[in-house]
Amino acid sequence: MESYRGFLALLVSALPVGFLSVLFTLIWVLHYREGLGWDGSSLQLGPVAAASGGASFQAIIVYRLPWTWKCSKFLMKSIHAGLNGVATILAVIALVAVFDFHNAQSIPNMYSLHSWVGLAAVICYVLQLFTGFFIFLLPWAPPSLREFIMPIHVYFGLFLFGTTIATALMGVTEKLFFVLKDPAYHSFPPEGVFVNTLGLLILLFGALIFWIVSRPQWKRPKEPDSTLLKSNCDTTERMEGDIAISSGNNTDRSDSELNNEGATRKRNSGLDDVGQRSTM
Amino acid sequence: MESYRGFLALLVSALPVGFLSVLFTLIWVLHYREGLGWDGSSLQLGPVAAASGGASFQAIIVYRLPWTWKCSKFLMKSIHAGLNGVATILAVIALVAVFDFHNAQSIPNMYSLHSWVGLAAVICYVLQLFTGFFIFLLPWAPPSLREFIMPIHVYFGLFLFGTTIATALMGVTEKLFFVLKDPAYHSFPPEGVFVNTLGLLILLFGALIFWIVSRPQWKRPKEPDSTLLKSNCDTTERMEGDIAISSGNNTDRSDSELNNEGATRKRNSGLDDVGQRSTM
């Protein structure tokens, strides 16, 4: 119960920071810059990128929400995949937008480090999405393959989230140096201070999310092998024989909870038992 | 043994990437820029920052080197603290250097997002160093306090390492936009492509290090409570009664291996038992 409160406290701290980041992005675009548009002259991809980041954050966090633990693993995987799909589509829209914008303005593409890292991140994100879909969502991959890929999948997802934050910070840096000429960035104009603050908010948001997803005690409890298959959320309470999550075996359980799609969740059991498992 | 080989393979992959990053930084400064110096006109803080990053990387990785597991925890803590101390000193030198450089050139300080995040990272690094020194290295902190602080200390150390990488990438971005005027950055000059590649190398290095430090199976085995106190490295082999690392308790053991400074290490035991523990 204390662990649950700690999780909620962190989540409730992270959400306003995330919303504030999106709000700051919108204020930057709508108040300080030329507003939204896709006419080749005033396009701002910030909000699209922010929305993509938001979907990505939800996809990362979704397994850790205790009120979803009663839902089947298959349903949660589908939500995870769906949110990542939305994030990917938004990221591709943002990419197409920025290429269109550059072409309309005769600005060369793909010369900055921001663009290199950003494009690499989007390509890896798409690869990660397909890997997840074929290996974890579809039922055909052998358990040994899932067990081998799972830690890589988890790590790579978090690494890409971190890379996306670094890309955003580089993007903010290069945009401010481009647009703040009179008054110049180095004269501390309100826009510069405001957008620097946005950068700090993005970083703080990332810090809180990484903390939440790397606490072993807040991980979704392991699916028991012996329970019923079910594909929706329900309120089924404890079942006899569900002892897998409290056994003291020595494998990293985050890597082995792969083969139980649709199993009914015990809602409250095992909260004290997941401490030895880790996402990372 | 297989796990040990995997660790070595990753480490041997990461080291050349790290060395290449330092080499690229030196080539950038010595070949493309004005070289090294501290005369207020030609200072380049890249190599100092790279050296600081190198010390920081060694501090992060040091507990995971299997050949150090025979050494006492106290000795390893001292090495960890010493390397972080060196990294902090180099980071402060780099900060003073850049302030001196800016003042000599009449360039304002602390206006860019890179400078905000960089200064915040250095301040947090110093705080982290003092916290570690007083709580974990000195023997007076109560076990409950150590247990409470340890996951925060580990997380914050890794978060600062990630923030340092993001700061470096922002620094590279802003420097390239500053200095590449003729030919311009957007015309793909050799320096731009070269330094973008340096950025990718830094990112790849970070990815490899984060992978290595987040694998539970490569973590330094837990200290047994019942062994002798000793402060140096030795080759003491297995001792009877050292079963703590293979018991099936449900706490996150990374948070509880705090109170055994100087205990003699079992050299090879428990390698199969650490899988359930996690650094993060």
Side-chain angles (χ1 to χ4, degrees):
Chain A
M1 194 61 188
E2 196 180 334
S3 176
Y4 180 70
R5 279 206 202 101
F7 174 83
L8 277 186
L10 255 292
L11 192 63
V12 167
S13 310
L15 289 178
V17 180
F19 282 123
L20 219 54
S21 302
V22 175
L23 186 66
F24 268 54
T25 308
L26 284 172
I27 292 173
W28 184 24
V29 171
L30 297 174
H31 176 65
Y32 288 106
R33 295 285 109 213
E34 311 93 61
L36 292 163
W38 195 314
D39 63 354
S41 64
S42 63
L43 178 111
Q44 301 292 341
L45 79 137
V48 183
S52 178
S56 173
F57 141 69
Q58 291 173 63
I60 286 173
I61 211 83
V62 78
Y63 290 118
R64 295 203 158 224
L65 304 173
W67 50 90
T68 69
W69 291 350
K70 65 187 177 192
C71 300
S72 74
K73 191 71 179 276
F74 180 76
L75 176 65
M76 296 314 296
K77 282 184 184 183
S78 304
I79 293 171
H80 178 73
L83 287 166
N84 274 316
V86 169
T88 307
I89 290 167
L90 289 170
V92 171
I93 289 174
L95 263 188
V96 173
V98 79
F99 274 89
D100 270 10
F101 175 68
H102 283 172
N103 293 339
Q105 303 262 316
S106 301
I107 299 170
N109 290 300
M110 296 303 302
Y111 67 88
S112 73
L113 180 57
H114 164 72
S115 65
W116 285 27
V117 176
L119 184 65
V122 173
I123 291 170
C124 291
Y125 210 103
V126 173
L127 290 175
Q128 172 89 339
L129 187 72
F130 278 98
T131 309
F133 182 77
F134 285 109
I135 293 183
F136 297 114
L137 197 65
L138 297 184
W140 302 308
S144 59
L145 180 64
R146 291 180 169 199
E147 195 152 355
F148 178 74
I149 296 289
M150 180 51 105
I152 300 169
H153 180 77
V154 170
Y155 173 79
F156 208 57
L158 294 179
F159 176 73
L160 281 179
F161 187 66
T163 304
T164 307
I165 290 172
T167 306
L169 298 181
M170 279 189 283
V172 162
T173 298
E174 90 176 36
K175 186 75 183 172
L176 287 176
F177 275 102
F178 267 134
V179 297
L180 292 178
K181 301 293 185 194
D182 186 26
Y185 192 12
H186 66 242
S187 65
F188 293 89
E191 181 175 349
V193 175
F194 183 83
V195 180
N196 282 1
T197 309
L198 166 62
L200 294 186
L201 282 172
I202 293 171
L203 197 63
L204 177 62
F205 180 66
L208 290 167
I209 297 308
F210 275 118
W211 174 266
I212 290 174
V213 298
S214 63
R215 292 314 92 195
Q217 68 271 26
W218 295 339
K219 196 169 190 299
R220 180 185 165 99
K222 185 181 186 301
E223 306 283 304
D225 287 330
S226 57
T227 47
L228 300 171
L229 287 175
K230 239 176 146 177
S231 64
N232 58 345
C233 298
D234 64 21
T235 54
T236 306
E237 294 298 331
R238 288 164 176 271
M239 298 175 66
E240 294 303 317
D242 181 5
I243 58 168
I245 49 178
S246 63
S247 70
N249 71 49
N250 291 319
T251 59
D252 180 7
R253 293 172 179 198
S254 69
D255 303 345
S256 59
E257 57 171 315
L258 310 168
N259 310 308
N260 305 288
E261 294 87 344
T264 303
R265 295 293 317 133
K266 285 199 321 175
R267 189 170 191 176
N268 300 314
S269 65
L271 291 181
D272 294 335
D273 300 320
V274 294
Q276 62 187 305
R277 296 185 297 120
S278 166
T279 300
M280 290 188 71
Chain B
M1 194 60 188
E2 194 179 335
S3 175
Y4 181 69
R5 278 207 202 101
F7 174 83
L8 277 187
L10 255 292
L11 193 63
V12 167
S13 310
L15 288 179
V17 180
F19 282 123
L20 219 53
S21 302
V22 176
L23 186 67
F24 267 53
T25 308
L26 283 171
I27 292 173
W28 184 25
V29 171
L30 297 173
H31 177 65
Y32 287 106
R33 297 285 108 210
E34 309 94 62
L36 291 162
W38 194 315
D39 62 355
S41 63
S42 64
L43 177 113
Q44 300 291 341
L45 77 139
V48 184
S52 177
S56 173
F57 141 70
Q58 290 172 63
I60 286 173
I61 211 83
V62 78
Y63 290 118
R64 297 205 158 223
L65 303 172
W67 50 90
T68 69
W69 293 349
K70 66 188 178 193
C71 299
S72 74
K73 192 70 181 274
F74 179 76
L75 177 65
M76 296 314 296
K77 282 183 183 183
S78 304
I79 293 171
H80 178 73
L83 286 166
N84 274 317
V86 170
T88 307
I89 290 167
L90 289 170
V92 171
I93 289 174
L95 262 188
V96 173
V98 78
F99 275 88
D100 271 9
F101 174 67
H102 283 172
N103 294 339
Q105 303 263 318
S106 301
I107 299 170
N109 290 299
M110 296 303 304
Y111 67 89
S112 73
L113 180 57
H114 164 73
S115 64
W116 285 27
V117 176
L119 184 65
V122 173
I123 292 170
C124 290
Y125 210 104
V126 173
L127 289 176
Q128 172 88 337
L129 187 71
F130 279 98
T131 309
F133 182 77
F134 286 109
I135 294 183
F136 298 114
L137 196 66
L138 297 184
W140 301 308
S144 58
L145 180 64
R146 291 182 171 197
E147 194 153 354
F148 177 74
I149 297 289
M150 179 52 105
I152 301 170
H153 181 77
V154 170
Y155 173 78
F156 208 58
L158 294 179
F159 176 72
L160 282 178
F161 187 67
T163 304
T164 307
I165 290 173
T167 306
L169 298 182
M170 279 190 282
V172 162
T173 298
E174 91 176 34
K175 186 76 181 173
L176 286 177
F177 275 102
F178 268 133
V179 297
L180 291 178
K181 301 293 186 192
D182 186 27
Y185 192 10
H186 65 242
S187 66
F188 293 89
E191 181 175 349
V193 175
F194 183 83
V195 181
N196 283 0
T197 310
L198 166 61
L200 294 185
L201 282 172
I202 292 172
L203 198 63
L204 177 62
F205 180 65
L208 291 167
I209 297 308
F210 275 118
W211 174 266
I212 289 173
V213 297
S214 62
R215 293 312 92 195
Q217 68 271 27
W218 294 340
K219 197 169 189 302
R220 180 184 165 98
K222 187 181 185 301
E223 305 284 303
D225 287 330
S226 56
T227 48
L228 299 171
L229 288 174
K230 240 177 146 178
S231 64
N232 58 345
C233 298
D234 65 19
T235 54
T236 306
E237 293 298 332
R238 288 163 177 271
M239 296 175 68
E240 293 303 319
D242 179 8
I243 57 169
I245 49 179
S246 61
S247 69
N249 71 49
N250 291 318
T251 58
D252 181 5
R253 293 170 179 203
S254 68
D255 304 344
S256 60
E257 57 170 317
L258 311 168
N259 310 306
N260 306 290
E261 295 89 341
T264 304
R265 294 295 315 135
K266 286 199 320 176
R267 187 168 192 176
N268 299 315
S269 64
L271 291 182
D272 295 334
D273 300 321
V274 295
Q276 62 188 306
R277 297 185 296 120
S278 165
T279 299
M280 291 189 69

